[in-house]
Amino acid sequence: MANIRLRRDIWSVAKQDENAARTQEWDPVLRGYAHGVELMMRLGGRANRNTTPKPSLDVRSWEWMANTHLTPKGQKHMQPLWASCAHHDRFFLVWHRAYLAWFETTIQTLIDDREWALPYWDYSDPARPETLELPWEFRVEQRTVDGKLVDNPLYVDSGDRPGHPSAEDVDIVEAMSERFFVREFPVRGFGGVDGQWKLAGYLEAKPHDAVHDRLGGIMGDVSLSARDPIFWLHHANLDRLWEVWRQLDGSVDVLDQGGISQQLASEWGNARFAFGGGSTIAVYSVDDMMDTTTDPLNYEYEVITLPPDIASTVMDNRAKARRDAITSGDTTLPPHLAWIAQSSRGLIGEETMVPEDTTPPRQHWDPVASTPGQMTVGDQGAAHPLRFDERQMASFNRAATAANALIAVDGPARPAGIIIALMGVRALTGVRAPVACHSHYIVGVGARDGSPIRDAGTFSTFGLNGTRTDEERNYTIDATALIPELYDDGWDGGELVVQVRPETPSENPETAPKGLSIGQITVFLRR
Ligand SMILES: [Cu+2]
């Protein structure tokens, strides 16, 4: 049996300050990493934007590694297994797990150390705000090896890595509060959605996309991001957060989840991920990826518990979602158990002992309004009034009134939820700015034309900058929490103004990113 290696928290092994990182010998974990990265770079590729397309490139080189994720626009000499990453996709977590395993094995071979394991960058502990900044080992231009100052292969020029995430960007409460790996569109699961639409799961949207975008530069450009040595520690952390989620009470991973589509079940059972080229190809099955402590993975994480404050908020959110499902009749529990749950709630309170559902609650979301065609979002943002379709509303009202017989109403029924879906989002082309679109956008809603716009949520556009111009993303924003405020604003429940704007408009309109085009905006109401 192979040894189980420990993937360490970078903060357990990193130096405390700049001077120490430059003048003292590093921890063996980081020494091994720097050595491995250096050897890979010697075989081809650097941590910058320059691409040196070579027809004969070593499979173990830095460039081959990075191109396997995605290749820069206009890349020549493509290889069959390049550009194979899965984004905004339910395979996001499992594909990247295999990718990291292949990377880790490559480093082990190059540095001839079978015990070496990739460290992870944990940035999501509110009690350690300093962890939002990169460790010094990734920021000093030179380091000390055997008493001599040498170039640091983990260093990236600040122009290629201009920023760092905020506490909000790395907030994992929303992701960890979701119990199910996949949900049905327009609702998202922890890891993605089931069905035909492509949509990021909660974890991929945040912290994954948000951290990429906030570091900016190479990391903010999906086609170059794997050239930055911090990429691998960011992804090791996301892989760890999947393990953190899996061990939380009530989490249902995809294979244990009831009600998933036949297509997903067979995709999940049959998927294989291949890396490398020529005579050195590594193949991983999804099955191989479901237990990190067995072959071929053989690793564990130093910490897979949530910080205490986050853990209590997450468990409260999960309990509340469960009570809501029971009281609204959305539960998939067998009727007698649902009845016990419902009738004992008042007597026993919140700690009712009822088995956890392994199937997501049944929810009915009606599309009630869509934009007629494509809209563009420039530097100043754009707003669209959406009148709800009368026939859709008639059926929504009938169903909603039947479900809540006690609150019959004349006008539109009060929705139990609102989701705004932005479908077919692309970056506009023809740019003078370094990027085609802003990295962060805010979605706001208003009761009617002229009403105040209330912010419903944000999305990061990681994946749209640096890729093909026909690359598309879909985003959903849950505006349910704003329903009371919309009524305060005099909402008639028959229309909604949807606004999309960059979080930070450019200071200089001349060099502003051109922005986004949105194929369609759809408003969903929950009965
Ligand atoms: Cu990534």
Side-chain angles (χ1 to χ4, degrees):
M1 207 185 93
N3 245 359
I4 295 174
R5 296 161 299 112
L6 190 65
R7 286 190 176 173
R8 305 285 313 268
D9 180 352
I10 189 69
W11 305 110
S12 309
V13 295
K15 298 288 181 208
Q16 299 293 316
D17 60 63
E18 184 173 2
N19 192 47
R22 189 181 292 115
T23 59
Q24 294 172 15
E25 296 280 344
W26 292 358
D27 183 276
V29 170
L30 278 158
R31 248 179 10 231
Y33 187 50
H35 187 205
V37 170
E38 193 162 40
L39 294 174
M40 289 168 108
M41 286 179 176
R42 263 189 227 157
L43 295 170
R46 318 260 339 139
N48 60 29
R49 292 174 177 278
N50 301 333
T51 57
T52 46
K54 261 188 283 174
S56 63
L57 190 64
D58 195 293
V59 177
R60 299 160 306 165
S61 67
W62 191 247
E63 187 152 353
W64 191 293
M65 243 344 124
N67 285 348
T68 297
H69 186 251
L70 202 58
T71 49
K73 251 191 208 168
Q75 169 79 32
K76 306 223 170 56
H77 310 300
M78 284 296 288
Q79 294 288 342
L81 297 178
W82 284 2
S84 57
C85 65
H87 285 110
H88 282 230
D89 193 295
R90 52 206 182 210
F91 282 100
F92 167 76
L93 283 167
V94 70
W95 184 86
H96 282 84
R97 173 166 288 183
Y99 185 42
L100 294 188
W102 176 58
F103 176 78
E104 196 171 56
T105 308
T106 306
I107 292 211
Q108 287 174 345
T109 312
L110 285 171
I111 67 173
D112 193 20
D113 179 0
R114 287 279 148 202
E115 295 307 305
W116 184 82
L118 186 63
Y120 61 89
W121 175 25
D122 180 9
Y123 31 61
S124 291
D125 184 353
R128 300 189 294 174
E130 67 281 5
T131 61
L132 294 168
E133 298 239 28
L134 288 179
W136 281 108
E137 281 83 345
F138 290 77
R139 292 154 71 191
V140 292
E141 228 167 313
Q142 293 196 299
R143 63 179 183 130
T144 299
V145 177
D146 299 331
K148 275 190 293 242
L149 265 184
V150 297
D151 285 345
N152 175 15
L154 309 184
Y155 171 78
V156 170
D157 185 83
S158 64
D160 277 331
R161 198 196 273 149
H164 67 80
S166 68
E168 167 60 24
D169 294 327
V170 298
D171 187 349
I172 49 173
V173 168
E174 211 178 17
M176 292 295 163
S177 298
E178 172 56 48
R179 284 181 50 217
F180 297 95
F181 191 85
V182 289
R183 296 285 290 261
E184 223 170 289
F185 185 86
V187 183
R188 290 186 276 162
F190 174 81
V193 287
D194 193 359
Q196 60 165 322
W197 299 108
K198 285 196 47 145
L199 202 61
Y202 278 109
L203 193 76
E204 186 183 356
K206 192 165 93 174
H208 171 259
D209 286 359
V211 167
H212 270 286
D213 273 330
R214 217 57 97 163
L215 284 164
I218 297 177
M219 274 290 275
D221 180 331
V222 67
S223 70
L224 300 172
S225 55
R227 291 159 182 258
D228 187 332
I230 199 64
F231 171 96
W232 304 92
L233 279 72
H234 174 37
H235 270 277
N237 189 49
L238 294 156
D239 188 67
R240 179 187 71 96
L241 289 171
W242 185 14
E243 291 304 303
V244 171
W245 176 84
R246 288 173 98 182
Q247 56 82 39
L248 282 177
D249 228 14
S251 293
V252 189
D253 218 344
V254 63
L255 295 178
D256 306 317
Q257 194 172 317
I260 62 169
S261 67
Q262 276 298 330
Q263 189 188 340
L264 173 55
S266 83
E267 269 177 14
W268 204 265
N270 296 320
R272 299 278 183 284
F273 310 118
F275 302 93
S279 58
T280 41
I281 290 186
V283 181
Y284 302 92
S285 70
V286 171
D287 208 35
D288 287 338
M289 297 298 102
M290 299 313 280
D291 184 351
T292 69
T293 64
T294 55
D295 276 337
L297 299 177
N298 301 310
Y299 64 79
E300 273 174 340
Y301 285 104
E302 186 174 343
V303 177
I304 54 160
T305 49
L306 286 173
D309 282 1
I310 295 184
S312 66
T313 311
V314 163
M315 293 329 274
D316 285 353
N317 288 348
R318 287 181 170 212
K320 182 177 179 302
R322 195 132 175 283
R323 285 197 303 276
D324 288 351
I326 290 170
T327 43
S328 61
D330 290 343
T331 178
T332 51
L333 285 173
H336 67 286
L337 288 176
W339 183 83
I340 292 170
Q342 203 158 6
S343 56
S344 60
R345 243 173 46 79
L347 302 172
I348 308 175
E350 305 194 347
E351 302 304 318
T352 312
M353 294 300 291
V354 180
E356 296 271 17
D357 290 14
T358 54
T359 304
R362 287 179 293 256
Q363 295 183 347
H364 298 279
W365 290 87
D366 293 341
V368 295
S370 287
T371 46
Q374 181 175 300
M375 75 185 266
T376 58
V377 180
D379 200 40
Q380 297 309 308
H384 233 290
L386 287 162
R387 188 79 218 159
F388 297 170
D389 181 83
E390 275 174 29
R391 278 178 45 211
Q392 293 279 18
M393 283 311 290
S395 81
F396 172 79
N397 284 331
R398 267 196 312 276
T401 310
N404 303 285
L406 294 178
I407 35 169
V409 281
D410 280 344
R414 192 181 171 105
I418 302 177
I419 285 179
I420 316 289
L422 313 178
M423 307 301 287
V425 181
R426 295 182 180 192
L428 288 170
T429 52
V431 275
R432 265 173 299 169
V435 291
C437 58
H438 287 276
S439 61
H440 286 74
Y441 286 82
I442 298 174
V443 178
V445 293
R448 62 166 64 90
D449 238 354
S451 306
I453 296 288
R454 301 187 178 278
D455 291 347
T458 61
F459 63 91
S460 312
T461 60
F462 180 66
L464 292 181
N465 279 314
T467 38
R468 302 187 326 256
T469 51
D470 61 349
E471 186 74 20
E472 284 191 353
R473 289 283 185 273
N474 304 318
Y475 303 100
T476 56
I477 303 290
D478 193 329
T480 303
L482 295 176
I483 291 174
E485 290 170 54
L486 288 170
Y487 281 111
D488 288 347
D489 294 341
W491 193 38
D492 69 2
E495 73 174 307
L496 208 58
V497 178
V498 177
Q499 186 206 55
V500 182
R501 64 178 200 277
E503 183 193 74
T504 319
S506 303
E507 277 164 23
N508 179 0
E510 288 281 291
T511 56
K514 265 200 118 176
L516 300 174
S517 81
I518 302 175
Q520 190 165 58
I521 300 180
T522 300
V523 177
F524 289 85
L525 298 184
R526 194 180 143 201
R527 293 176 194 170

